[in-house]
């Protein structure tokens, strides 16, 4: 009977008119944490017995003797004279309790507890609801304790998350501050390098208007900075690509070594080395205007002897060429004013036919250090690029050459090569040409495209205006070039 009572209490099977079922009481699965053991059940029964004896519990004399004997059996075990005080001859109740305890014999502690609970259940029906109420109270305490622990855990996680967010925010602010400080230092360095040139250019473009000059200088400085950062990113990307190519070359070499020796005549694997162009250090201002016509020729050293040295001297000259600095480019919105100004000079307006490429050859000036250009078109865009030819022109005349495509001259040169050994190959002495700005289509009908480049040495700039991609439309080009001292 005691086993059935413990089972009923653990399941909280209470009268349906008084208490809800156990699955509704234990909403957080706390029942397993508050299971009542046999010893706890006995202590609850003993507490209920002492509290209700003479009130709601009225056992018979014999039942009361047995329940007292069971408590003695649980507390002291089997009867022994030393575990109980002497009972007087006239103490009837004491002698009856002693005899009842002796009658229990070797009953174990667990059996005595079960027997006590069973008797209490049989004698007092209110004991079962009392146990159920105790169990429900324990479930509720366990649920609250679990909720408090869960809340503390959530609070700790929230505090840790806020701490991480605050630390990430501090790191982000520190990184932004570092980037802004680095940007400020770069801008200051670039502005210091270009202060004189930009000031001269602004004074020429907006004479007598200091406010417009300041606005133009700020615009040029911002464009110069953006171009500088773009070139930095491009160089970083190029460096990463080279590292990746080197890694692939090493892997290919290891694989080739594992497969066997390299056949004679096969080139060794490895990435193609590319020369990194240096970043711009200055942007020239337009101080002196190169007319699109003849200019007083400077003193030019004779180069005929150098042209007769042959292929070996040309290759040696190419190896000794200095690096080409990157060009600077920016735009301005005053397209109409720019074209109206150049319409007065017929040499500054060129019609580029459909499928044609116009090359404007601008020799370096002996008194100059930088070249500056500006151009715009009517209605449609046009391709534009800049190259530098390492040759000394006989004069400073700016000349214009028209070809059917940008590759026409190269094709003609390749077709003109003869196989006559006695005549030789004159193309071997062709001066080297470096690319400064690749040919890309520019929206020059919407903005005036401006640019500049520091002289790398004596030579001829090739400004290519490419309309070869247009099969039907001709383009009207407005341009002018300057040099700065």
């Amino acid at each position: 009977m005691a086993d059935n009572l413990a089972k009923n209490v653990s399941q909280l099977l209470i009268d349906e008119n008084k208490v809800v079922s156990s699955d509704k009481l234990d909403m957080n699965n706390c029942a397993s944490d508050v299971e009542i053991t046999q010893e706890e059940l006995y202590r609850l029964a003993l507490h209920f017995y002492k509290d209700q004896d003479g009130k709601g519990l009225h056992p018979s004399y014999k039942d009361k003797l047995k329940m007292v004997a069971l408590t003695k059996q649980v507390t002291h075990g089997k009867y022994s004279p030393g575990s109980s005080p002497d009972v007087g001859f006239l103490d009837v109740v004491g002698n009856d309790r002693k005899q009842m305890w002796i009658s229990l014999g070797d009953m174990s502690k667990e059996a005595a507890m079960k027997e006590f609970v069973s008797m209490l259940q049989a004698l007092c029906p209110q004991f079962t609801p009392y146990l159920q109420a105790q169990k429900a109270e324990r479930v509720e305490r366990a649920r609250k304790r679990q909720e408090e622990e869960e809340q503390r855990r959530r609070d700790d996680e929230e505090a840790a998350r806020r701490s991480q967010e605050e630390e990430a925010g501090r790191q982000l602010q520190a990184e932004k501050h570092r980037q802004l400080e680095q940007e400020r230092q770069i801008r200051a360095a670039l502005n210091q390098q270009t202060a004189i040139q930009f000031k001269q250019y602004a004074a020429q473009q907006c004479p007598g208007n200091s406010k417009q000059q300041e606005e133009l200088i700020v615009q040029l400085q911002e464009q110069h900075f953006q171009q500088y950062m773009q070139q930095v990113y491009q160089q970083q990307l190029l460096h990463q690509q080279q590292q990746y190519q080197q890694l692939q070359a090493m892997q290919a070499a290891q694989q080739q070594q594992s497969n066997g020796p390299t056949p004679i005549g096969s080139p060794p694997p490895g990435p193609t080395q590319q020369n990194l162009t240096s970043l711009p250090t200055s942007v020239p201002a337009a101080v002196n205007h190169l007319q699109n016509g003849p200019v007083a020729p400077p003193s030019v050293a004779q180069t005929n002897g150098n042209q007769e040295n042959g292929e070996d001297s040309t290759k040696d000259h190419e190896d000794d060429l200095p690096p080409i600095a990157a060009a600077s480019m920016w735009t301005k919105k005053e397209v109409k004013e720019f074209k109206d100004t150049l319409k007065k000079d017929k040499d500054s307006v060129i019609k580029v036919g459909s499928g044609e490429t116009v090359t404007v050859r601008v020799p370096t000036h002996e008194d100059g250090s930088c070249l500056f250009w500006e151009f715009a078109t009517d209605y449609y865009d046009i391709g534009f690029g800049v190259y530098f030819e390492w040759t000394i022109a006989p004069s400073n005349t700016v000349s214009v050459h028209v070809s059917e495509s940008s590759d026409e001259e190269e094709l003609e040169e390749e077709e003109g090569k003869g196989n006559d050994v006695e005549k030789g190959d004159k193309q071997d002495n062709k001066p080297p040409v470096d690319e400064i700005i690749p040919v890309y289509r520019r929206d020059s009908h919407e903005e005036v495209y401006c640019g500049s480049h520091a002289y790398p040495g004596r030579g001829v700039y090739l400004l290519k205006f490419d309309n070869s991609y247009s099969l039907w439309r001709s383009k009207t080009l407005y341009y002018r070039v300057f040099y700065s001292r």
Side-chain angles (χ1 to χ4, degrees):
M1 183 179 293
D3 294 339
N4 293 334
L5 178 61
K7 181 177 180 181
N8 292 338
V9 171
S10 63
Q11 296 177 352
L12 296 179
L13 298 178
I14 307 175
D15 182 38
E16 62 181 1
N17 296 325
K18 296 180 181 180
V19 188
V20 296
S21 60
S22 61
D23 59 336
K24 294 183 179 179
L25 283 173
D26 187 10
M27 299 178 66
N28 292 311
N29 297 326
C30 299
S32 60
D33 298 333
V34 292
E35 288 293 338
I36 298 179
T37 63
Q38 185 64 46
E39 187 172 356
E40 291 175 336
L41 184 61
Y42 168 74
R43 285 200 299 267
L44 290 173
L46 183 60
H47 180 271
F48 181 82
Y49 170 76
K50 291 180 179 180
D51 184 64
Q52 297 294 324
D53 188 20
K55 299 178 182 179
L57 178 63
H58 302 280
S60 63
Y61 177 73
K62 185 176 179 181
D63 291 338
K64 193 170 185 177
L65 288 177
K66 187 172 182 180
M67 295 184 74
V68 171
L70 288 172
T71 59
K72 295 289 185 181
Q73 189 76 7
V74 171
T75 304
H76 302 287
K78 183 180 179 181
Y79 172 80
S80 64
S83 60
S84 178
D86 294 336
V87 181
F89 179 75
L90 299 178
D91 188 358
V92 179
V93 177
N95 284 300
D96 290 343
R97 289 179 178 177
K98 177 181 177 181
Q99 293 301 323
M100 185 62 71
W101 188 3
I102 293 173
S103 67
L104 296 178
D106 296 331
M107 180 181 289
S108 64
K109 179 179 179 180
E110 289 74 13
M113 290 189 294
K114 290 181 180 180
E115 183 69 18
F116 183 87
V117 172
S118 299
M119 287 188 65
L120 184 61
Q121 182 190 21
L123 294 173
C124 185
Q126 292 83 5
F127 178 57
T128 299
Y130 169 78
L131 288 180
Q132 293 170 345
Q134 291 295 321
K135 179 66 179 293
E137 183 179 354
R138 292 192 179 193
V139 169
E140 182 65 17
R141 288 199 301 267
R143 184 185 65 81
K144 290 183 177 180
R145 185 171 58 253
Q146 185 176 2
E147 288 180 352
E148 291 174 356
E149 293 177 354
E150 182 68 18
Q151 185 63 34
R152 283 196 299 269
R153 183 186 64 81
R154 288 196 295 265
D155 292 342
D156 294 341
E157 291 179 352
E158 181 66 18
R161 184 186 63 82
R162 285 197 301 266
S163 177
Q164 292 178 354
E165 289 180 353
E166 291 175 358
E167 180 63 23
R170 286 192 296 269
Q171 293 180 358
L172 181 61
Q173 290 296 330
E175 179 65 19
K176 288 183 177 179
H177 179 74
R178 185 189 65 81
Q179 292 179 354
L180 290 175
E181 181 63 21
Q182 185 178 12
E183 178 180 338
R184 186 190 65 80
Q185 294 176 357
I186 293 175
R187 286 181 181 274
L190 294 176
N191 294 343
Q192 183 180 4
Q193 292 175 354
T194 59
I196 298 177
Q197 292 89 345
F198 283 161
K199 186 176 181 180
Q200 293 175 348
Y201 174 67
Q204 183 183 14
Q205 295 295 319
C206 308
N209 193 330
S210 59
K211 183 177 180 180
Q212 291 184 358
Q213 291 178 10
E214 293 176 357
E215 294 177 353
L216 180 57
I217 290 175
V218 171
Q219 180 183 1
L220 294 176
Q221 289 175 343
E222 177 64 24
Q223 292 176 346
H224 188 202
F225 171 77
Q226 296 298 335
Q227 183 185 18
Y228 176 88
M229 297 306 298
Q230 183 179 6
Q231 291 173 355
V232 171
Y233 298 148
Q234 290 176 351
Q235 289 187 5
Q236 291 177 350
L237 179 61
L238 180 60
H239 180 65
Q240 293 175 358
Q241 292 175 348
Q242 289 180 344
Q243 288 182 337
Y244 178 71
Q245 290 175 352
Q246 291 175 358
L247 178 61
Q248 286 185 328
M250 292 174 60
Q251 293 176 351
Q254 293 176 356
Q255 183 177 4
Q256 190 173 13
Q257 290 178 359
S258 61
N259 294 336
T262 303
I264 298 176
S266 61
T272 303
Q273 299 296 329
Q274 300 181 6
N275 295 325
L276 294 177
T277 59
S278 59
L279 295 177
T281 58
S282 64
V283 176
V287 179
N288 298 301
H289 181 211
L290 288 178
Q291 300 292 337
N292 298 334
V295 181
S299 58
V300 179
Q302 298 297 327
T303 58
N304 294 334
N306 293 333
Q307 296 177 355
E308 297 175 356
N309 290 334
E311 179 180 359
D312 294 336
S313 62
T314 302
K315 291 183 179 180
D316 294 339
H317 179 64
E318 292 180 6
D319 296 336
D320 296 337
L321 295 178
I324 298 291
S328 299
M329 290 192 66
W330 60 92
T331 60
K332 58 182 183 181
K333 298 295 185 180
E334 298 80 5
V335 180
K336 184 176 182 303
E337 294 80 357
F338 176 76
K339 291 191 291 187
D340 290 342
T341 302
L342 294 185
K343 284 179 181 179
K344 303 174 183 178
D345 184 4
K346 296 182 179 180
D347 292 331
S348 297
V349 182
I350 301 176
K351 183 177 181 180
V352 184
S354 58
E356 292 183 348
T357 296
V358 172
T359 302
V360 179
R361 298 177 59 89
V362 184
T364 56
H365 198 282
E366 62 176 358
D367 295 331
S369 61
C370 298
L371 178 71
F372 170 82
W373 61 85
E374 294 177 331
F375 70 92
T377 55
D378 283 338
Y379 308 118
Y380 306 106
D381 62 356
I382 196 169
F384 175 74
V386 180
Y387 298 81
F388 189 80
E389 182 178 276
W390 293 92
T391 183
I392 299 179
S395 68
N396 282 349
T397 303
V398 176
S399 58
V400 177
H401 298 265
V402 180
S403 59
E404 292 297 329
S405 68
S406 59
D407 300 328
E408 182 179 282
E409 295 180 358
E410 297 179 1
L411 293 174
E412 290 178 354
E413 291 171 355
E414 292 179 359
E415 294 174 357
K417 290 184 179 180
N419 297 325
D420 193 343
V421 180
E422 294 182 358
K423 292 182 179 180
D425 189 0
K426 294 184 180 180
Q427 299 299 329
D428 292 337
N429 292 328
K430 180 182 178 181
V433 176
D434 284 331
E435 180 184 72
I436 299 176
I437 299 175
V439 176
Y440 289 120
R441 295 174 65 171
R442 321 284 178 171
D443 294 329
S444 52
H445 60 297
E446 298 177 351
E447 296 178 309
V448 179
Y449 275 74
C450 313
S452 62
H453 187 256
Y455 285 1
R458 299 295 299 276
V460 179
Y461 281 96
L462 308 179
L463 277 61
K464 291 185 176 292
F465 297 94
D466 188 0
N467 195 34
S468 59
Y469 57 87
S470 180
L471 299 179
W472 308 106
R473 292 191 179 98
S474 299
K475 311 293 173 64
T476 302
L477 171 67
Y478 304 83
Y479 82 99
R480 63 182 174 186
V481 290
F482 304 87
Y483 72 90
S484 66
R485 297 183 185 276

